[in-house]
Amino acid sequence: MLAALVAALVVPLAVAAAPAAAPAAPIAPVVGAEESLGYPIASRVLSQDQSQGVDAEGRPQAYWVTAGNPETPGMFQATDLRSGEVVFAERLPAGVNSWASTFSAADGTVYFGMVEGQLYSWTPGDDAVTALGVPYPGEGIWRLAAAPDGVIYGGTYPGGELFSYDPTTGAFTNHGQAVPGETYARALAVDDESVWVGTQPRARLTRFDRATGQFHQVALPAQYETHEVVYDMTLARDYLLLRVQPSNDLLVYDTVTGEFVDIVPRISGRAISPPDPAGKHVYFRIASVGVVAYDLDTLTYTPVGWAPNAFPGTWAWVDLDDPAMPGLSLAMTYYYGRIYIWNPQTHAARYIGEDDLQGAPNSITALGVGPDGAVYVGAFLSPPGMARFDPATGATTLLAGAGQVEGFGTYGDHLVFGRYPNAGLLDFDTTRPWSMGTNPGPAATIGGEQDRPQSFAQVGDLIAVGSVPKSGRLGGALSLWDPATGEVVTHRNVVPDQSVVSVAARDGLVYGGTSVNGGYGIDPVATEAELFVADPATGEVLSSIVPVPGGRAVNGLTFDADGMLWGVSDGTLFTYDPATRSVTRAEQLFPSSTSMYGHDRHLVFRGDGYLYVTSSGSLWRVDPESWAVTRLASSGVASLASDGAGNLYYSRGAALYRWNFALRPQPVCDVTVTGPHAGPVTVQAGTTCLDGASIDGPVQVSPGAVLVAEDSAVRGPVRAVGAGGVQLDGVTVTGPLSVTGAVGGVWIDGTTVDGPVELVSNTGGTTVDGLTVTGPLSCTGNEPLPVLEDLDVAGPVAGQCKEA
């Protein structure tokens, strides 16, 4: 990078527990530039929650809030079930994801909330969505339900609160935390008298009395005491039907007697239908059977012969006004934007796909480079799969079925990765075609209530895996996975109450970094993250220390060529000597920041001798000798991977970027000269750019200064001594060209010199591509060696240029 820019980006060092500082070393100029590679998963239709209703004419509609990404808000869309057409679509002003949508029959309006806290409404026929504000800043909206009288109830996270909104007055009321200590109000069902609330991270059920404003907790059957969440609820006659996770059992509660009267094991989906028009049956899906009709009189179910390959998001009884589907049909939405409809009289079925819905690029969750040299990209709740980017061709391929990838690793020719939820471990042989189910085969699973396999390191024939537990749980794990057999040995709480978010391996031992956080929905009890050393044969922790006092996560670990372990914790870089098991140096080089699970945890040593780190939303270069640090890229940088050519890959939201060391840095011009200029040009400091200039005189570049010349002519000599950088692109020089002792990059492209050319003792990298010289060319003492292409030299060629 150019000297002026480098100077602006050098971060002051705040030394903690470091030896006496040596005299400041000069900051080497940056080589390379950022390159945007676009969106690996360019469009994804995902609506985590849905609802169904009717317009003023009674035409049935399905409502979606398709997810956005950090750069693109979510989008509200409505599908007409009779025509299959999307009849309304609007990109929202704010909010990315929605798990809360409900249609109120009382006023014919759909209400939806965002996990970022916004509440919106739309009435069919309106020209635009109505923003109702952010009722409770800091609280995301995670479920909505409409009462028969039109009052809208909502559940929140992280407060686990129940609130209501009265559309007639516009008033919000906070009714407090539904169940003490529960952070998610995750499921709601409402009638005239009560609001039933299901919670997470512990599956609890409570009834809110709408008249008195009091909560009354209902104990679930004893076998569900340790369950994680009450996820879905439907009121049917006097019964409350609720699905609990992780068993996915359906519990049937008699609201009159206060007893649980039936349990249906392992149903599939996120919803149970409302009662049919006769009030006799509700419908739900069982994966091995298909859709079943559940008889509310006998509490038994019967398959109906309809088996859509999707689990239900919402159900509704709809009038299609179609003789082929008479009366009311049962419509089911699926969160990938699909609609399945079945008629109980004729058993006819209809399908409406997601093609007309608008999605958004999918947010990147993890990056890794496989043994095949390809860059693999995992994404959030990814229905398209994960992406494979080929650096050689620039082509991106979607690999279907991967799910949400939390982390990558390798062994031999295999890429391994961890999937959320339920901590699946998958093994892909990169020498064979991708075929989900066979390559990779069925997932191995980490036990011990783990959910997110974050980090991977090979140790012997095993893969060490660090993981984060399920929602509402503390205590991550170090697992040893044998991909050849599928066996997984899990050691939970290797550091009590902390998750394992980074691992490295050397000399038969595993080194792990922890986070004080557990799964979402629970506060940490530990206060400082640790670095531990473990024996993979037994899982025994041989030693453990706090590498950075006060640090809440040891976000990344890597070994250098000499066996020193480097790590980063909350913006502090540290080194750890495995021989003495002690921290040898620690300095806060980056702004203090931490993340719960992952993106802020990457360190890469490159062949140029530098350490590259993603931390606090930026990509940094660190000199491991002087610990001088330079920011290369900023504004939301996350993840980090390096390909075989040494280029670095990172993400911002849904976009993939490459720091390409073969690209020339982009200049920031302090002075720009254009058009005719009579007399000499002396670049004394900063960056001077010649852009379409015609210089009638010599050009001199002083030590530390930078010259960038494009599409220009110089009638006179060009000399640079100790320059911060020299770039000549499409330049004609009438006279000698001499660049000596440049500490920044020297780039000469498409340039003609009528005279001798000397390139001497330049240390910032020298690249010459397309140079025509009417005199001699001499290159000596340049380190690294010059990169030369397409030379046309009339005179003698000497030194390194001749050797190249």
Side-chain angles (χ1 to χ4, degrees):
M1 190 67 70
L2 304 176
L5 182 58
V6 170
L9 294 181
V10 174
V11 176
L13 306 184
V15 178
I27 304 294
V30 171
V31 176
E34 179 176 278
E35 181 182 9
S36 175
L37 301 176
Y39 298 113
I41 301 178
S43 181
R44 170 208 52 178
V45 173
L46 171 67
S47 181
Q48 291 102 315
D49 198 23
Q50 315 97 52
S51 58
Q52 297 187 61
V54 295
D55 67 8
E57 298 176 354
R59 295 180 66 94
Q61 297 180 331
Y63 307 111
W64 320 89
V65 184
T66 50
N69 57 54
E71 301 166 327
T72 306
M75 189 170 194
F76 176 76
Q77 300 176 75
T79 301
D80 184 298
L81 270 64
R82 291 181 182 174
S83 67
E85 297 176 345
V86 175
V87 295
F88 181 84
E90 180 182 338
R91 186 71 63 185
L92 300 173
V96 175
N97 294 292
S98 174
W99 288 86
S101 181
T102 189
F103 181 81
S104 174
D107 60 6
T109 297
V110 58
Y111 296 85
F112 55 97
M114 313 302 288
V115 299
E116 298 82 8
Q118 299 86 358
L119 182 66
Y120 295 98
S121 69
W122 181 76
T123 302
D126 285 353
D127 294 331
V129 165
T130 298
L132 301 175
V134 180
Y136 302 103
E139 291 288 318
I141 300 173
W142 283 80
R143 194 57 62 94
L144 291 172
D149 60 4
V151 174
I152 306 300
Y153 286 88
T156 74
Y157 167 84
E161 297 169 350
L162 177 70
F163 73 89
S164 62
Y165 169 73
D166 188 339
T168 61
T169 64
F172 289 93
T173 303
N174 190 335
H175 303 288
Q177 190 171 51
V179 175
E182 295 302 293
T183 55
Y184 288 87
R186 202 63 171 88
L188 299 177
V190 187
D191 60 19
D192 290 320
E193 299 176 351
S194 304
V195 183
W196 300 87
V197 186
T199 69
Q200 186 180 353
R202 297 177 302 166
R204 300 292 183 263
L205 175 65
T206 190
R207 184 182 71 85
F208 174 75
D209 189 314
R210 297 184 64 191
T212 67
Q214 300 298 308
F215 289 100
H216 305 276
Q217 191 165 333
V218 177
L220 299 184
Q223 63 266 41
Y224 300 102
E225 174 66 26
T226 60
H227 269 47
E228 299 166 12
V229 56
V230 176
Y231 215 120
D232 307 300
M233 293 193 294
T234 292
L235 283 164
R237 298 198 321 215
D238 292 329
Y239 295 123
L240 178 69
L241 298 96
L242 56 150
R243 181 177 68 90
V244 294
Q245 285 186 183
S247 68
N248 287 316
D249 290 354
L250 178 68
L251 314 185
V252 182
Y253 177 71
D254 189 324
T255 61
V256 175
T257 65
E259 297 178 344
F260 285 90
V261 295
D262 193 25
I263 296 174
V264 181
R266 298 190 63 78
I267 75 167
S268 170
R270 287 193 42 238
I272 304 97
S273 84
D276 61 17
K280 182 173 176 57
H281 297 97
V282 295
Y283 292 76
F284 49 84
R285 180 178 181 268
I286 299 176
S288 61
V289 176
V291 175
V292 301
Y294 184 80
D295 191 316
L296 296 171
D297 294 327
T298 65
L299 305 184
T300 59
Y301 66 80
T302 303
V304 301
W306 180 42
N309 185 27
F311 57 80
T314 63
W315 298 92
W317 291 97
V318 300
D319 178 6
L320 294 181
D321 192 25
D322 183 348
M325 303 189 79
L328 294 180
S329 299
L330 186 59
M332 181 192 97
T333 60
Y334 179 42
Y335 70 7
Y336 294 163
R338 302 166 195 166
I339 303 170
Y340 302 80
I341 309 174
W342 175 79
N343 187 271
Q345 296 183 46
T346 65
H347 289 194
R350 181 174 296 177
Y351 170 75
I352 301 172
E354 72 276 21
D355 292 346
D356 291 337
L357 292 171
Q358 298 182 54
N362 202 349
S363 297
I364 295 171
T365 56
L367 294 178
V369 173
D372 56 351
V375 180
Y376 290 86
V377 183
F380 174 71
L381 292 180
S382 181
M386 71 182 182
R388 178 187 184 276
F389 174 79
D390 186 341
T393 65
T396 298
T397 306
L398 285 176
L399 306 177
Q404 179 170 315
V405 178
E406 294 285 309
F408 291 100
T410 62
Y411 75 95
D413 290 324
H414 293 244
L415 178 79
V416 292
F417 57 98
R419 186 171 65 190
Y420 165 88
N422 301 321
L425 303 174
L426 293 105
D427 180 6
F428 171 50
D429 182 349
T430 61
T431 65
R432 297 167 45 221
W434 173 276
S435 178
M436 195 68 195
T438 56
N439 185 37
T445 303
I446 301 175
E449 296 187 307
Q450 299 302 292
D451 222 14
R452 300 174 187 269
Q454 290 283 286
S455 51
F456 296 76
Q458 183 177 1
V459 52
D461 294 330
L462 303 177
I463 304 295
V465 186
S467 60
V468 174
K470 290 181 176 294
S471 172
R473 307 297 191 267
L474 293 172
L478 172 67
S479 299
L480 283 305
W481 170 38
D482 185 346
T485 65
E487 181 182 4
V488 181
V489 177
T490 297
H491 305 283
R492 189 176 182 185
N493 274 313
V494 286
V495 175
D497 297 322
Q498 300 203 35
S499 299
V500 182
V501 295
S502 57
V503 293
R506 192 174 181 91
D507 298 330
L509 297 176
V510 177
Y511 296 77
T514 70
S515 166
V516 299
N517 293 290
Y520 282 108
I522 190 170
D523 292 328
V525 296
T527 58
E528 295 180 307
E530 298 187 18
L531 171 66
F532 66 87
V533 185
D535 181 346
T538 63
E540 177 188 359
V541 174
L542 306 177
S543 69
S544 181
I545 64 170
V546 174
V548 176
R552 296 176 66 81
V554 177
N555 308 92
L557 296 171
T558 193
F559 282 97
D560 65 18
D562 297 325
M564 183 71 72
L565 182 65
W566 295 69
V568 64
S569 175
D570 293 20
T572 294
L573 185 70
F574 67 87
T575 51
Y576 173 88
D577 186 346
T580 63
R581 293 183 178 170
S582 62
V583 172
T584 58
R585 185 173 181 178
E587 296 187 21
Q588 185 179 326
L589 300 186
F590 324 116
S592 180
S593 67
T594 189
S595 62
M596 289 183 71
Y597 308 133
H599 283 182
D600 206 3
R601 60 178 170 89
H602 299 276
L603 303 91
V604 171
F605 276 101
R606 190 174 174 272
D608 58 8
Y610 290 106
L611 174 68
Y612 294 85
V613 183
T614 49
S615 181
S616 61
S618 294
L619 171 64
W620 311 85
R621 186 193 69 180
V622 179
D623 184 331
E625 296 296 328
S626 67
W627 286 46
V629 60
T630 304
R631 189 189 336 237
L632 302 183
S634 58
S635 302
V637 169
S639 297
L640 185 63
S642 177
D643 67 13
N647 293 313
L648 303 174
Y649 295 81
Y650 49 95
S651 65
R652 289 190 185 93
L656 179 65
Y657 292 84
R658 173 166 55 193
W659 189 267
N660 190 332
F661 287 87
L663 293 179
R664 87 180 50 161
Q666 297 301 306
V668 177
C669 303
D670 298 303
V671 175
T672 301
V673 179
T674 62
H677 178 86
V681 172
T682 301
V683 185
Q684 294 182 331
T687 299
T688 293
C689 297
L690 309 182
D691 186 0
S694 179
I695 309 299
D696 191 4
V699 175
Q700 178 73 41
V701 186
S702 301
V706 175
L707 172 67
V708 177
E710 295 185 359
D711 301 325
S712 296
V714 179
R715 285 176 290 278
V718 176
R719 292 187 175 90
V721 178
V726 174
Q727 296 183 19
L728 306 179
D729 186 354
V731 176
T732 300
V733 179
T734 305
L737 168 64
S738 174
V739 183
T740 300
V743 296
V746 177
W747 299 77
I748 302 174
D749 188 4
T751 290
T752 299
V753 179
D754 186 7
V757 174
E758 288 186 323
L759 304 174
V760 180
S761 300
N762 300 303
T763 59
T766 303
T767 302
V768 181
D769 185 359
L771 173 63
T772 300
V773 184
T774 61
L777 171 62
S778 175
C779 306
T780 58
N782 299 287
E783 179 61 38
L785 292 172
V787 176
L788 307 174
E789 300 247 352
D790 193 18
L791 301 183
D792 182 3
V793 184
V797 179
Q800 294 168 316
C801 291
K802 183 177 182 180
E803 295 165 3

